[in-house]
Amino acid sequence: METMENIIPMPRIGDKAPEFKAVTTQGDINFPADYKGKWIILFSHPADFTPVCTSEFMTFAKMESEFTALNCQLVGLSVDGLYSHIAWLRTIKDKIEYKGMKNIEVKFPLIEDITMQVAKKYGMIQPGESSTKAVRAVFFIDPNGVIRAMIYYPLSTGRNFDELKRALIAMQTADKFAVATPADWRPGDDVIVPTAGSCGVAKDRMEHQDGMTCHDWFFCTKPLPKEQVME
Ligand code: BEZ
């Protein structure tokens, strides 16, 4: 029974990622210590052998090298057991052809979490949606083991993996260049200069410095070439 004593608070942005040891399809892991120095995307799915999850795994596995190139380790989780995971991933590789994807091998670790210990630590069990399955949660964890973003989707909605990649690059860009990124930003688009307040005093003077444009005293942008973002 869920009592006030055994409810684990959900982690929040800025918290250290909760630690755990787990069995995965790629061997035992000590999380997040094993991935120190890398970004991690820890994501849960409701169940093996289900269609939305299958489409998601195929898409994520197809894009894995793009995340590796961004120094990002993918780690999956569901509350199924290891042998179910292995059988499902084998089925995906051997049998499923979908949207031009076939022979898709999932090489990133998939955590078995039958006890729901990890899922509960990360607030992936949301009883209003399901008390027996994890929702579709995504945690972005930075190279220092700090949670930087979280996204939650219901069971019925497959995630957009281009958006996960875009969000990862946006966070890396914010860290590297001390800027923020506007709505729908993609590498190569202008970025937001965080000290925008100073533009107010010297809007006219600063308009052309660094190619910066101030749209008003609180909103200044500047170009950041794609090659710099992706180098
Ligand atoms: C799916 O992945 O298709 C799915 C899983 C659990 C509930 C509903 C859909």
Side-chain angles (χ1 to χ4, degrees):
M1 198 181 68
E2 210 68 88
T3 64
M4 285 310 276
E5 290 77 50
N6 67 16
I7 291 178
I8 305 170
M10 281 172 63
R12 293 162 299 193
I13 291 177
D15 288 353
K16 278 277 183 190
E19 296 174 357
F20 61 85
K21 291 193 165 106
V23 173
T24 84
T25 49
Q26 303 290 324
D28 295 353
I29 60 168
N30 185 7
F31 191 97
D34 285 353
Y35 307 111
K36 196 166 167 42
K38 290 186 182 178
W39 284 79
I40 309 167
I41 294 182
L42 172 66
F43 68 103
S44 56
H45 69 276
D48 299 344
F49 292 102
T50 52
V52 179
C53 300
T54 299
S55 69
E56 290 193 318
F57 262 68
M58 293 182 78
T59 308
F60 228 170
K62 189 186 75 175
M63 291 173 72
E64 187 182 5
S65 61
E66 297 171 44
F67 285 90
T68 304
L70 293 166
N71 188 34
C72 180
Q73 173 70 49
L74 307 178
V75 181
L77 176 149
S78 80
V79 301
D80 298 289
L82 183 64
Y83 296 107
S84 165
H85 284 345
I86 292 169
W88 178 47
L89 299 187
R90 189 176 300 148
T91 302
I92 286 175
K93 180 170 183 300
D94 293 348
K95 297 196 182 148
I96 310 286
E97 210 175 318
Y98 173 69
K99 278 194 159 179
M101 297 181 279
K102 63 190 269 198
N103 291 122
I104 294 288
E105 197 170 346
V106 175
K107 296 183 183 140
F108 55 81
L110 174 51
I111 295 169
E112 79 153 8
D113 191 28
I114 311 176
T115 61
M116 299 191 184
Q117 262 185 1
V118 180
K120 284 184 176 169
K121 264 190 176 178
Y122 275 84
M124 293 164 171
I125 304 297
Q126 306 203 351
E129 178 73 343
S130 171
S131 50
T132 57
K133 294 175 170 61
V135 295
R136 300 183 197 281
V138 186
F139 287 83
F140 294 81
I141 298 166
D142 75 14
N144 297 315
V146 174
I147 295 173
R148 298 290 296 276
M150 300 177 289
I151 307 177
Y152 288 89
Y153 278 72
L155 305 190
S156 59
T157 307
R159 287 160 279 202
N160 181 316
F161 293 89
D162 285 332
E163 168 55 13
L164 302 187
K165 183 177 168 189
R166 190 198 73 86
L168 173 67
I169 296 171
M171 284 177 256
Q172 294 177 336
T173 300
D175 286 0
K176 189 168 168 192
F177 298 99
V179 294
T181 52
D184 297 331
W185 177 86
R186 294 203 162 264
D189 292 349
D190 287 1
V191 293
I192 292 178
V193 185
T195 52
S198 63
C199 292
V201 188
K203 180 176 182 286
D204 297 334
R205 205 163 20 94
M206 296 181 76
E207 216 147 45
H208 300 292
Q209 261 183 26
D210 275 348
M212 185 161 75
T213 304
C214 288
H215 308 277
D216 206 327
W217 61 269
F218 61 93
F219 184 9
C220 296
T221 55
K222 70 170 186 183
L224 183 58
K226 186 173 182 176
E227 308 79 67
Q228 268 176 266
V229 171
M230 302 309 291
E231 83 185 0

